[in-house]
Amino acid sequence: MTSSPTVHLAAPQTHGQPKRALVLPGGGLRLSYQAGILVALEEAGLSFQFMDGTSGGSLNLSMLLSGLSPEETCQRWRSLNLADTVSFLPLKEYLHVETLEGVGDADGFRNKVLPHFGIDFDRIHQVDAVLANYNVLDYGNKAVKTIPHRLIDEDMVIGGMSLPGVFPPVRKEDSIYLDTGFVQDANLLEAVKHGAEEIWVLWGLGNTGTYRGGVLNLYVQMLEVSANTALNNQLDTIRDLNARIEQGVGPYGQTRPIQVRVIRPDYPLPLDPDLYLCKINHTTLIEMGYADGKAYLRRLDELPAEIPANPTHMHDPLQGIRFQAPLQGKLDLLADQSDAAHDIQINLTVHVNDVNRFIAGPEHEARVTGHLSGSIFGSLKMIEEGRFTLECLTDKTRRIVYALSYSQDGQHYNLLAEQVLHDDQGLDLWNDLSNLSLNLFKVNAEASELVANGTLRLPLGSVKDWIQSFHVTETTGLMEKLSVTTRFARSILGGVYDAHI
């Protein structure tokens, strides 16, 4: 008799703990963000008794059910060749616009993406460790169809990701199947029917008050309206159920009110075209999801038990700028008597979500995500929390500090990297820009202990990548992009900018 395949994040309910459900909604290829949250949940020791996937979220669900760990899932996203996701219809079909069912087909996903992700349907069918459902739209009956993991197949995963106008629908057994995105993008009520008392929703679609024109924006906004409205309606239903549960007449076996945990970004994630245009990559999205997951877990005990109204609501997108800092250096452990310095690499992404606030504000702060690598860190370590701070010492002197926190073997550490930009006589600007001092602190409840110091630098060979990584967000037209870039550069460099640029 063979044992049930292992599923990470799945475990039987323990005494005194709520029955948990993991809901993985859609959101396109941006859902590498979701994989980063999964790593944070596993590190927190959370386990689930029910899982549900919709649209692109079914890819992450399928990887988990196929036995991949959250970290392995992240690695599959990092190494995904985006060209493999693109597959065109036969040329003759584009000549008949009046009958065209999509801008491409799903052959790339069938033949390349699903195998790359290690999705194994035979293995999924054997899973006993957790109950899981997939969601597709039964077009003929105009209803969401839920498919247990023991019955899921490649056709239904593809059908569940076939947005109207993007991929043709999947025709199978006299039925037509599509993505449920224009009906709902997460199925919380299915989790409720399976007795869930705590539902964790890893949300990636946007939800703001900004309304834009343009074909792509209008299409995406229709999806966002449908998905968020459906979610809020489901939450209203759960609130009504909670009132019945408190009266002892809950219909699905819950003995305590159902709690809903929604982890989402503070600002909308970039759309899929930004991935294809290299304005962002899956590594960055994963690290954003990991940091957001960690931030949510840190404040978990402070969150109210009541289900919040419109919990996926985000800040309206504003003019901003995003860039990467690929740094290398050496770190000396103070307790190491061998005088051997450890080689390290630190890859950071700075997210200035509101460039006007960054420039005008007294603190000049921005968010940082990224990862650390090198033998001293063991395996790759994603940053749990990071801040980029600019301090204007004088008009010609600026101090920049990267404050980064991570954990290793249950111990928390803070890493501070600092550089000073000063307009000395001579051409020393590059030296200031490319060199940083480094201090590593072990964080305890009582105090922080300095355990290592060293230096970092921006290697000359990485300058091209560093420059190309600068992307202005929420602007229209070249002149507006140049204006934002210039104002940001002047705020960073001060008098150095006017003297040298």
Side-chain angles (χ1 to χ4, degrees):
M1 181 176 179
T2 59
S3 59
S4 172
T6 299
V7 177
H8 289 260
L9 290 170
Q13 182 180 5
T14 57
H15 180 70
Q17 291 293 313
K19 184 175 183 179
R20 292 195 183 97
L22 177 65
V23 175
L24 302 174
L29 288 173
R30 301 171 293 173
L31 288 180
S32 48
Y33 170 86
Q34 216 172 62
I37 303 176
L38 293 175
V39 175
L41 297 182
E42 184 171 58
E43 289 180 354
L46 288 171
S47 59
F48 300 87
Q49 292 74 54
F50 180 78
M51 297 181 181
D52 189 273
T54 300
S55 188
S58 64
L59 295 174
N60 287 322
L61 173 60
S62 296
M63 282 189 269
L64 288 176
L65 296 179
S66 296
L68 276 69
S69 69
E71 182 50 55
E72 289 170 330
T73 299
C74 289
Q75 187 53 39
R76 298 299 174 109
W77 279 108
R78 291 185 189 106
S79 57
L80 175 65
N81 182 355
L82 282 173
D84 291 343
T85 67
V86 179
S87 180
F88 294 105
L89 296 164
L91 179 60
K92 63 180 181 180
E93 297 198 26
Y94 294 105
L95 301 178
H96 300 282
V97 178
E98 68 278 5
T99 59
L100 191 64
E101 293 184 338
V103 296
D105 63 30
D107 287 353
F109 275 86
R110 288 182 183 272
N111 301 326
K112 296 179 181 179
V113 176
L114 297 187
H116 172 79
F117 281 160
I119 294 173
D120 183 342
F121 291 103
D122 288 338
R123 192 182 191 282
I124 290 173
H125 297 158
Q126 298 170 18
V127 167
D128 289 326
V130 67
L131 294 175
N133 275 356
Y134 293 76
N135 299 279
V136 297
L137 177 65
D138 181 344
Y139 179 79
N141 291 309
K142 304 299 186 290
V144 174
K145 179 178 181 178
T146 59
I147 303 175
H149 72 274
R150 293 183 182 278
L151 300 178
I152 194 64
D153 60 22
E154 180 182 286
D155 285 336
M156 290 295 95
V157 168
I158 295 298
M161 297 191 303
S162 296
L163 279 169
V166 179
F167 290 156
V170 169
R171 292 175 169 84
K172 186 173 184 177
E173 298 173 353
D174 298 324
S175 295
I176 296 175
Y177 296 104
L178 287 161
D179 193 309
T180 67
F182 285 104
V183 178
Q184 65 182 34
D185 210 38
N187 198 341
L188 277 68
L189 296 185
E190 194 65 24
V192 170
K193 292 175 183 177
H194 280 78
E197 297 169 318
E198 190 175 279
I199 303 174
W200 289 71
V201 184
L202 313 190
W203 194 261
L205 276 176
N207 180 5
T208 74
T210 300
Y211 190 84
R212 296 189 178 91
V215 174
L216 177 62
N217 288 327
L218 292 172
Y219 187 89
V220 171
Q221 286 162 181
M222 286 190 292
L223 280 171
E224 292 173 349
V225 167
S226 301
N228 286 288
T229 300
L231 176 67
N232 288 330
N233 288 339
Q234 290 183 66
L235 294 178
D236 285 339
T237 300
I238 294 173
R239 292 186 187 96
D240 292 340
L241 285 170
N242 279 343
R244 297 172 63 184
I245 291 169
E246 289 177 339
Q247 295 169 4
V249 291
Y252 301 115
Q254 288 90 349
T255 58
R256 65 181 87 189
I258 301 163
Q259 291 186 308
V260 180
R261 311 291 193 186
V262 179
I263 303 179
R264 53 146 181 86
D266 288 336
Y267 288 85
L269 298 175
L271 298 179
D272 283 359
D274 283 355
L275 281 165
Y276 291 103
L277 295 172
C278 300
K279 294 181 179 180
I280 197 166
N281 56 45
H282 285 303
T283 295
T284 300
L285 287 168
I286 290 166
E287 291 161 356
M288 292 169 65
Y290 178 76
D292 285 342
K294 284 291 189 178
Y296 187 92
L297 291 165
R298 281 196 298 272
R299 62 178 188 271
L300 185 59
D301 293 338
E302 305 168 6
L303 297 175
E306 297 80 13
I307 299 172
N310 198 15
T312 60
H313 184 68
M314 304 167 190
H315 298 301
D316 286 351
L318 300 167
Q319 287 185 349
I321 195 165
R322 181 176 58 245
F323 65 93
Q324 296 180 336
L327 305 171
Q328 298 179 8
K330 293 185 179 295
L331 198 60
D332 294 297
L333 295 175
L334 299 184
D336 188 350
Q337 303 299 318
S338 66
D339 294 328
H342 297 266
D343 291 329
I344 61 171
Q345 296 82 41
I346 303 181
N347 292 84
L348 307 176
T349 302
V350 179
H351 309 261
V352 183
N353 292 311
D354 182 350
V355 72
N356 292 320
R357 182 177 179 180
F358 177 89
I359 293 171
E363 296 180 339
H364 307 295
E365 281 192 351
R367 185 191 191 198
V368 176
T369 59
H371 65 268
L372 320 171
S373 57
S375 59
I376 192 173
F377 302 119
S379 60
L380 179 145
K381 293 286 184 292
M382 286 193 283
I383 294 167
E384 298 180 7
E385 184 178 17
R387 306 303 298 173
F388 171 94
T389 305
L390 170 69
E391 185 179 358
C392 304
L393 303 178
T394 70
D395 183 55
K396 294 187 177 183
T397 305
R398 300 287 196 266
R399 177 187 290 125
I400 295 173
V401 177
Y402 296 87
L404 316 171
S405 65
Y406 72 97
S407 298
Q408 183 172 346
D409 300 327
Q411 175 64 54
H412 294 291
Y413 294 90
N414 285 340
L415 191 151
L416 297 179
E418 178 181 313
Q419 63 187 144
V420 176
L421 311 180
H422 183 69
D423 185 20
D424 297 317
Q425 290 186 352
L427 299 176
D428 69 335
L429 178 59
W430 172 247
N431 186 63
D432 288 350
L433 282 171
S434 60
N435 287 279
L436 301 87
S437 61
L438 188 64
N439 288 300
L440 179 64
F441 297 88
K442 180 187 290 186
V443 180
N444 300 306
E446 301 80 16
S448 296
E449 175 190 359
L450 179 66
V451 295
N453 54 35
T455 58
L456 287 171
R457 60 185 174 83
L458 176 66
L460 194 59
S462 300
V463 173
K464 180 182 177 182
D465 292 339
W466 175 60
I467 294 173
Q468 291 179 340
S469 75
F470 279 79
H471 293 292
V472 179
T473 60
E474 302 304 321
T475 57
T476 56
L478 178 60
M479 295 308 296
E480 194 174 12
K481 293 181 185 293
L482 288 174
S483 174
V484 171
T485 303
T486 300
R487 289 189 294 117
F488 178 74
R490 183 172 276 114
S491 73
I492 294 291
L493 301 177
V496 181
Y497 179 93
D498 296 320
H500 295 280
I501 299 177

